[in-house]
């Protein structure tokens, strides 16, 4: 069923839970039956999300692991909603503050009345008519991204069954821009995960770490940019026919919904806007090697400035997206605000937080890209079971492979007749 007011999804997910509540939960709906799924395949990415120089003390408390509560039996999905749970270990320190039971409006310990510029604190209390900004920040917290990484882990398993893999790396942090190797290492994550800031440039890495340490000493925070690369995609996911089926729009919308993400680029992105068309678009070629590659439809591109998308549709080249993350809005040397109880000028509340979460952003963005791509795969190849989806997928690839042959036969016949 198409939702006319939002981007339609066939593989859908919803997360719930507060940062210091008992747990985060996720329901992933639309997975075909028969996909091998184990908690361990999701836990790897949950662990990767917690890493990175510049994370706060919370990451020393948590040991994020998923419990699969529904949708899986004997290590395989059933086609029913997949229900996941990630317990917050920090809950034991917050049980009184975050208890579900109590008197409405009751004022509790750790009340937040001095909203942080840049966070959801102020707009949230105004919009939801709350007295304590904790009612807002508990859900606005980027802790929610743990649940999204879990959902993305499910999507990654589905994509893996079709030879798609997704990696990421940090391209800038705190104003330090990394030199990106060309070609990128494959597998990408094996290389990026070796770095404390998930960058592929060792010289930039040292400088990024220095800037994080300096920001910490100054009570400040840092943003940056990450790149996500998805390899192994088949030509033809997404569509040009309607706005909500264009994959570039679906990716940009989903990626911008990650807390603190302020920009998304696809392929050359903003840089492409400054060059003439001849230096932007990727020439189309066909030779023997290309003809044998049915995944790309039998064609080869001179380069991949398009980042794997043309007309809102995959080309079969690697999908390349970049995200910009603003610095975290909890500053230990806080900015100007107004106290919501007195109406007087004050300094914003300081809560324990991170100096930067840019290295974690790559892992979160991989998950979000995986969810969008898995949705596009289900859209195109459908099916109630993985086996049915595989048949549809391989049937499509076979048709792509024989298309040129059919076309040349038609042309030969047309030539004979004229
Ligand atoms: C996060 C958990 C949070 C923060 C961070 C992300 O833990 P706590 O608030 O208990 O210190 O480290 O949240 C934010 C950046 C934010 O703005 O809320 C996590 O699990 O990723």
């Amino acid at each position: 069923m198409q939702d006319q007011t939002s981007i339609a999804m066939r593989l859908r997910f919803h997360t719930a839970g507060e940062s210091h509540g008992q747990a985060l939960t996720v329901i992933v709906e639309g997975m075909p039956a028969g996909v091998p799924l184990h908690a361990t395949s999701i836990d790897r990415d949950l662990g990767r999300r917690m890493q990175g120089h510049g994370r706060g003390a919370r990451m020393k408390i948590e040991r994020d692991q998923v419990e699969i509560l529904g949708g899986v039996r004997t290590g395989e999905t059933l086609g029913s909603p997949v229900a996941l749970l990630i317990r917050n270990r920090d809950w034991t320190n917050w049980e009184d503050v975050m208890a579900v039971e109590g008197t409405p409006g009751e004022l509790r310990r750790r009340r937040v009345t001095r909203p942080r510029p840049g966070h959801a604190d102020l707009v949230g209390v105004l919009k939801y008519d709350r007295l304590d900004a904790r009612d807002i920040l508990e859900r606005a917290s980027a802790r929610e991204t743990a649940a999204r990484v879990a959902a993305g882990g499910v999507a990654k398993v589905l994509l893996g069954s079709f030879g798609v893999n997704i990696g990421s790396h940090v391209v800038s942090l705190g104003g330090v821009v990394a030199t990106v190797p060309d070609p990128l290492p494959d597998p990408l994550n094996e290389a990026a995960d070796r770095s404390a800031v998930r960058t592929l440039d060792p010289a930039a890495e040292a400088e990024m770490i220095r800037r994080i340490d300096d920001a910490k000493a100054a009570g400040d925070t840092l943003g940056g940019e990450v790149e996500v690369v998805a390899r192994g995609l088949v030509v033809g996911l997404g569509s040009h026919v309607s706005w909500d089926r264009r994959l570039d729009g679906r990716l940009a919308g989903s990626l911008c919904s990650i807390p603190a993400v302020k920009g998304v680029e696809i392929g050359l992105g903003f840089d492409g806007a400054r060059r003439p068309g001849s230096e932007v678009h990727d020439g189309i070629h066909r030779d023997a090697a290309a003809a044998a590659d049915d995944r790309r439809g039998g064609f080869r591109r001179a380069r991949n400035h398009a980042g794997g998308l043309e007309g809102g549709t995959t080309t079969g080249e690697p999908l390349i997206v970049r995200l910009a993350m603003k610095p975290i809005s909890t500053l230990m040397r806080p900015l100007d605000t107004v106290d919501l109880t007195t109406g007087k000028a004050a300094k914003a509340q300081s809560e324990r937080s991170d100096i930067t979460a840019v290295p974690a952003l790559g892992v979160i963005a991989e998950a979000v890209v995986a969810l969008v791509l898995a949705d596009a795969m289900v859209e195109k190849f459908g099916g109630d079971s993985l086996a049915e989806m595989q048949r549809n997928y391989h049937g499509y690839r076979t048709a792509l492979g024989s298309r040129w042959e059919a076309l040349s036969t038609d042309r030969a016949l047309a030539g004979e007749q004229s």
Side-chain angles (χ1 to χ4, degrees):
M1 197 177 72
Q2 296 260 323
D3 180 350
Q4 298 303 312
T5 57
S6 65
I7 293 171
M9 289 189 95
R10 288 125 295 261
L11 187 84
R12 294 168 292 166
F13 73 99
H14 262 297
T15 73
E18 277 63 45
S19 178
H20 304 101
Q22 279 191 60
L24 299 166
T25 58
V26 200
I27 292 184
V28 183
E29 215 273 332
M31 276 290 283
V35 179
L37 190 63
H38 304 276
T40 44
S41 16
I42 298 170
D43 288 346
R44 246 193 98 248
D45 278 352
L46 287 178
R48 292 175 61 232
R49 194 199 72 95
M50 297 177 67
Q51 305 305 311
H53 193 74
R55 295 309 301 270
R58 178 74 182 273
M59 293 303 106
K60 294 190 177 70
I61 299 171
E62 300 300 338
R63 215 168 296 148
D64 292 343
Q65 282 181 332
V66 80
E67 292 168 46
I68 302 178
L69 299 184
V72 177
R73 184 168 178 240
T74 62
E76 270 192 357
T77 56
L78 300 173
S80 52
V82 176
L84 308 173
L85 182 88
I86 303 161
R87 291 184 197 277
N88 291 322
R89 285 166 65 100
D90 206 13
W91 162 245
T92 51
N93 303 316
W94 291 81
E95 283 190 39
D96 58 330
V97 180
M98 294 302 295
V100 171
E101 299 296 340
T103 316
E106 185 187 340
L107 298 181
R108 294 197 176 168
R109 188 167 72 85
R110 296 196 192 238
R111 215 172 142 214
V112 176
T113 60
R114 289 171 285 123
R116 291 159 291 176
H119 215 281
D121 301 346
L122 179 61
V123 290
V125 290
L126 296 175
K127 178 174 167 65
Y128 286 91
D129 189 20
R130 310 310 294 171
L131 295 171
D132 181 357
R134 180 155 304 286
D135 289 348
I136 307 305
L137 70 91
E138 282 291 332
R139 181 63 187 159
S141 165
R143 174 97 191 119
E144 185 267 347
T145 60
R148 261 193 261 192
V149 167
V154 176
K156 275 189 178 182
V157 174
L158 179 64
L159 291 170
S161 318
F162 295 90
V164 178
N165 68 76
I166 304 177
S168 67
H169 64 108
V170 168
V171 290
S172 90
L173 201 161
V176 182
V177 180
T179 304
V180 178
D182 184 17
L184 285 168
D186 188 5
L188 177 53
N189 280 341
E190 230 168 70
D193 287 349
R194 266 187 243 126
S195 157
V197 283
R198 305 201 66 255
T199 191
L200 302 170
D201 176 350
E205 178 191 51
E207 185 54 26
M208 286 171 184
I209 291 172
R210 225 183 331 271
R211 298 248 178 131
I212 294 168
D213 294 342
D214 288 351
K216 185 176 184 177
D220 218 331
T221 57
L222 299 175
E225 295 151 85
V226 302
E227 183 171 80
V228 182
V229 181
R231 293 175 167 122
L233 292 162
V234 70
V235 61
L237 301 179
S239 174
H240 64 281
V241 299
S242 285
W243 72 271
D244 60 348
R245 292 179 61 187
R246 285 182 173 263
L247 210 53
D248 31 21
R250 287 151 72 175
L251 283 162
S254 300
L255 289 166
C256 258
S257 78
I258 300 171
V261 169
K262 293 292 125 192
V264 174
E265 293 185 307
I266 296 168
L268 268 191
F270 279 50
D271 190 26
R274 297 176 203 125
R275 301 187 192 188
S278 55
E279 288 175 26
V280 171
H281 302 297
D282 312 321
I284 302 170
H285 302 276
R286 189 177 155 83
D287 49 29
D293 184 359
D294 58 44
R295 194 171 55 73
R296 289 177 170 86
F299 297 93
R300 181 175 61 73
R301 310 310 289 261
R303 59 193 176 204
N304 185 23
H305 284 174
L309 286 175
E310 282 178 342
T313 307
T314 53
T315 59
E317 296 298 320
L319 178 85
I320 300 172
V321 294
R322 283 188 179 207
L323 292 77
M325 183 187 214
K326 70 177 179 178
I328 282 171
S329 46
T330 308
L331 272 63
M332 290 306 151
R333 209 169 61 194
L335 301 174
D336 290 345
T337 193
V338 173
D339 192 312
L340 298 175
T341 48
T342 63
K344 297 229 162 72
K347 287 293 174 191
Q349 203 120 344
S350 284
E351 286 243 329
R352 174 190 65 196
S353 193
D354 309 313
I355 312 304
T356 186
V358 173
L361 175 65
V363 182
I364 299 157
E366 286 171 30
V368 170
V369 167
L371 284 157
V372 174
L373 291 177
D375 175 48
M377 287 288 288
V378 171
E379 173 185 55
K380 175 130 182 76
F381 302 113
D384 296 314
S385 68
L386 179 61
E388 186 177 12
M389 206 171 153
Q390 298 264 19
R391 283 197 296 278
N392 296 340
Y393 173 81
H394 290 297
Y396 173 66
R397 282 190 56 168
T398 305
L400 284 174
S402 54
R403 185 187 145 86
W404 187 264
E405 246 169 68
L407 282 176
S408 19
T409 314
D410 286 353
R411 211 168 296 121
L413 284 174
E416 271 168 32
Q417 280 159 11
S418 59

